[in-house]
Amino acid sequence: MSKKYYIKTFGCQMNVYDSSRIADMLQNLGYEEAASPRQADLVIFNTCHNRKKAAEKVFSDLGRLYNIKQERLAEEGRDMIIGLAGCVVQAEDEQIAKRAPYVDFATGPLTYYRIPQLLEEIGRKKGVSLIDTDFPAIDKFDYLPDNQSHGGCSYLAIQEGCNNFCTYCVVPYTRGAEFSRPVEAVLAEAKRLVAGGTLEINLLGQNVNSYHGEDSAGKERNLAYLLRRLSEIDGLKRLRYTTSYPADVDDDLISCHRDLSKLMPYLHLPVQSGSDRILKAMNRRHNRDDYIRVIDKLKEANPAIGLSSDFIVGFPGESDADFQATLDLVNYVKYIQAFSFKYSRRPGTPAAVYENQIEEKVKKERLEILQNLLFSYQLRFNTESIGKTMPVLFDMKGRHKGQLIGRTPYMQNLHAELGKEYLNKIVPVKITGANTNSLSGIAEGI
Ligand code: 5AD
Ligand code: SF4
């Protein structure tokens, strides 16, 4: 009987991508995917350290997993290997040994390509916990097996790490310095994905638009160049990129939003705050006006573009006036989608030791006000979609039989009554219903 694996992913899209690469590696070793941790011989948690809640959840879920492991051993005599990957490992290696000593191996986001080797070592030395948190000087992508297409939409990591050091953020410490993959490696991976059935590629990077990978002649190329090359791939229908840093959006990239029909009219461009004072304290390289200038240029390049953002409320020192500036910015941009968070103190980051921390109660109130405003714009945009026909890429089965879930060009989730033969296909859909988080519609011409 072949061995089974189960991977649980926490956090960002980069982790989703890394988990799919880990799955490819395990499948190459003969593992099959298990439906639940209880049925798995190997369970890996791919973890997130961005906010305290996410990191704490890893430890509570690990405790539950350890109980399942013991049950499985007692009832079926089958053991389970528990592995950790991702940013918690990089940031909290000592805590893992203390709080979850039963973890068999742990590997950071830059070293997970060594998982096959770690599994072999575990086979040799039972009961030894292996924690691997190097920042290796090599390109992990060179050491991963070729990835496979897992459906109509695929992520493709083109850049990793960050040199920006926003004062609240752990990423520069967990994912290390910025690194861009070479152009040809990205194109080869994209072609492989498309040959395997991918219609939409979402280019990933913590700072995807500061991409500066080398081409085959050793010349550094920017994201705009890469997007143009990728859009030439036959069979590839849609392109996206995330997450962008506002100060690195240049005119060349903006022109892609005018010229490339495959580039979807949606951009996630996190601003974090609308207050210049707070942006400065966050060490962001843009102020409110810089950000608005970029948004205006993007809208000029493609008037149909919809914007999304991340926000942090209750950053140390945030006054009512600073918070109001954030609300004003939301009213100006009218985001069609957004993610907002209460500031969370992350050990080792500069802002964690700032003295003017904001009370939890105030953070909570501000988050609620901001989210209500953001949701109102999101609902307005979704409601205005009713009556329009949009191309929808269906990539998931719905909750009910005969239903599929997909995404519009604007990243709205949409469900429609549609047979599974339309899975991983783009279908024109007339929008008939909308709420804050999703749309419903009827497929046309079918
Ligand atoms: N507290 C709250 N939110 C944070 N983010 C990153 N670090 C923190 C933190 N310490 C948010 C930012 C970022 C998103 C991925 O997570 O808004 O854009
Ligand atoms: Fe974190 Fe700022 Fe880098 Fe984004 S740009 S990953 S928020 S340090």
Side-chain angles (χ1 to χ4, degrees):
M1 208 162 77
S2 74
K3 290 198 167 182
K4 295 218 156 111
Y5 72 90
Y6 186 90
I7 304 174
K8 176 166 174 156
T9 308
F10 300 75
C12 66
Q13 287 137 323
M14 190 62 104
N15 268 9
V16 175
Y17 174 82
D18 288 340
S19 290
S20 79
R21 303 299 304 254
I22 294 172
D24 289 342
M25 272 191 301
L26 296 176
Q27 282 165 18
N28 281 355
L29 293 177
Y31 280 83
E32 281 173 18
E33 192 174 3
S36 72
R38 183 72 168 79
Q39 288 150 27
D41 305 284
L42 165 64
V43 177
I44 297 177
F45 282 180
N46 194 6
T47 62
C48 171
H49 199 250
N50 229 5
R51 286 175 296 278
K52 189 168 178 216
K53 244 194 195 156
E56 282 305 313
K57 186 154 184 350
V58 168
F59 285 106
S60 62
D61 284 7
L62 266 178
R64 223 164 302 136
L65 183 65
Y66 186 53
N67 290 340
I68 296 174
K69 170 183 165 118
Q70 284 174 316
E71 261 171 43
R72 200 176 120 97
L73 197 56
E75 287 167 19
E76 295 171 42
R78 291 165 68 88
D79 202 2
M80 175 196 288
I81 294 175
I82 298 180
L84 279 187
C87 293
V88 166
V89 177
Q90 207 63 43
E92 306 213 31
D93 48 345
E94 284 169 18
Q95 286 292 315
I96 293 165
K98 248 189 248 155
R99 295 175 67 178
Y102 45 81
V103 163
D104 295 292
F105 70 90
T107 166
L110 301 180
T111 47
Y112 65 78
Y113 69 90
R114 293 183 191 150
I115 286 177
Q117 206 181 314
L118 291 171
L119 288 171
E120 226 182 273
E121 279 180 54
I122 288 168
R124 280 202 306 269
K125 315 182 247 182
K126 273 255 160 273
V128 179
S129 181
L130 302 164
I131 298 187
D132 183 359
T133 54
D134 275 5
F135 271 147
I138 53 136
D139 176 355
K140 76 178 178 198
F141 297 102
D142 287 345
Y143 291 81
L144 290 168
D146 285 354
N147 58 335
Q148 293 142 30
S149 176
H150 293 277
C153 297
S154 294
Y155 289 127
L156 199 174
I158 63 165
Q159 180 275 336
E160 187 158 28
C162 181
N163 297 343
N164 282 323
F165 291 93
C166 299
T167 53
Y168 51 82
C169 184
V170 290
V171 167
Y173 312 96
T174 57
R175 289 208 178 240
E178 206 188 294
F179 164 81
S180 295
R181 295 179 67 190
V183 170
E184 291 307 323
V186 173
L187 291 174
E189 190 168 324
K191 285 178 190 158
R192 212 160 39 232
L193 291 171
V194 172
T198 290
L199 299 174
E200 171 177 312
I201 290 182
N202 195 341
L203 303 176
L204 293 185
Q206 261 82 33
N207 255 295
V208 74
N209 63 325
S210 45
Y211 176 83
H212 55 269
E214 283 187 3
D215 68 10
S216 48
K219 186 171 170 189
E220 278 198 358
R221 299 293 193 166
N222 62 11
L223 179 60
Y225 174 86
L226 195 61
L227 285 169
R228 288 194 196 103
R229 292 287 307 273
L230 286 163
S231 72
E232 288 163 6
I233 297 177
D234 277 344
L236 179 63
K237 305 284 186 211
R238 293 176 162 193
L239 271 169
R240 304 179 187 276
Y241 59 93
T242 198
T243 293
S244 295
Y245 189 77
D248 295 331
V249 179
D250 59 16
D251 289 344
D252 205 9
L253 184 57
I254 290 173
S255 71
C256 290
H257 285 275
R258 187 190 57 223
D259 302 337
L260 301 181
S261 58
K262 292 184 182 178
L263 187 57
M264 290 292 100
Y266 169 89
L267 186 62
H268 183 60
L269 194 59
V271 67
Q272 312 298 352
S273 166
S275 154
D276 285 350
R277 219 173 56 85
I278 296 298
L279 288 170
K280 199 152 181 246
M282 287 176 164
N283 193 33
R284 301 282 291 180
R285 286 185 283 113
H286 59 89
N287 62 25
R288 183 175 185 280
D289 285 351
D290 299 330
Y291 182 80
I292 286 181
R293 221 170 295 127
V294 169
I295 299 280
D296 288 347
K297 279 192 190 173
L298 282 163
K299 286 189 171 168
E300 203 183 303
N302 181 359
I305 202 164
L307 290 141
S308 150
S309 182
D310 291 342
F311 295 91
I312 296 176
V313 297
F315 185 81
E318 186 187 65
S319 66
D320 286 341
D322 293 321
F323 178 58
Q324 185 57 47
T326 297
L327 299 178
D328 292 346
L329 182 69
V330 171
N331 284 322
Y332 180 82
V333 181
K334 302 182 175 56
Y335 295 96
I336 67 167
Q337 207 183 78
F339 305 89
S340 44
F341 314 98
K342 289 183 286 187
Y343 169 68
S344 167
R345 286 170 94 160
R346 308 310 294 129
T349 60
V353 292
Y354 287 178
E355 279 176 1
N356 41 6
Q357 299 287 328
I358 303 293
E359 256 182 277
E360 182 59 27
K361 187 170 145 274
V362 176
K363 286 189 203 172
K364 214 172 142 206
E365 279 167 14
R366 287 183 183 162
L367 187 66
E368 203 181 316
I369 295 168
L370 176 62
Q371 289 190 335
N372 283 337
L373 184 64
L374 290 168
F375 288 155
S376 73
Y377 283 114
Q378 191 170 325
L379 179 62
R380 189 200 288 185
F381 182 77
N382 287 351
T383 309
E384 283 170 1
S385 305
I386 294 176
K388 292 184 183 156
T389 296
M390 294 196 210
V392 176
L393 171 44
F394 288 97
D395 65 341
M396 261 188 296
K397 286 191 189 145
R399 230 180 294 155
H400 311 295
K401 208 169 173 258
Q403 195 186 53
L404 295 182
I405 298 179
R407 250 167 301 269
T408 72
Y410 292 100
M411 283 298 247
Q412 296 151 295
N413 286 322
L414 180 142
H415 56 89
E417 302 301 316
L418 214 52
K420 57 180 184 308
E421 63 275 21
Y422 291 99
L423 203 56
N424 298 324
K425 296 219 161 69
I426 297 176
V427 180
V429 176
K430 181 154 186 170
I431 317 297
T432 52
N435 59 35
T436 311
N437 293 314
S438 69
L439 304 177
S440 52
I442 298 170
E444 287 195 328
I446 281 168

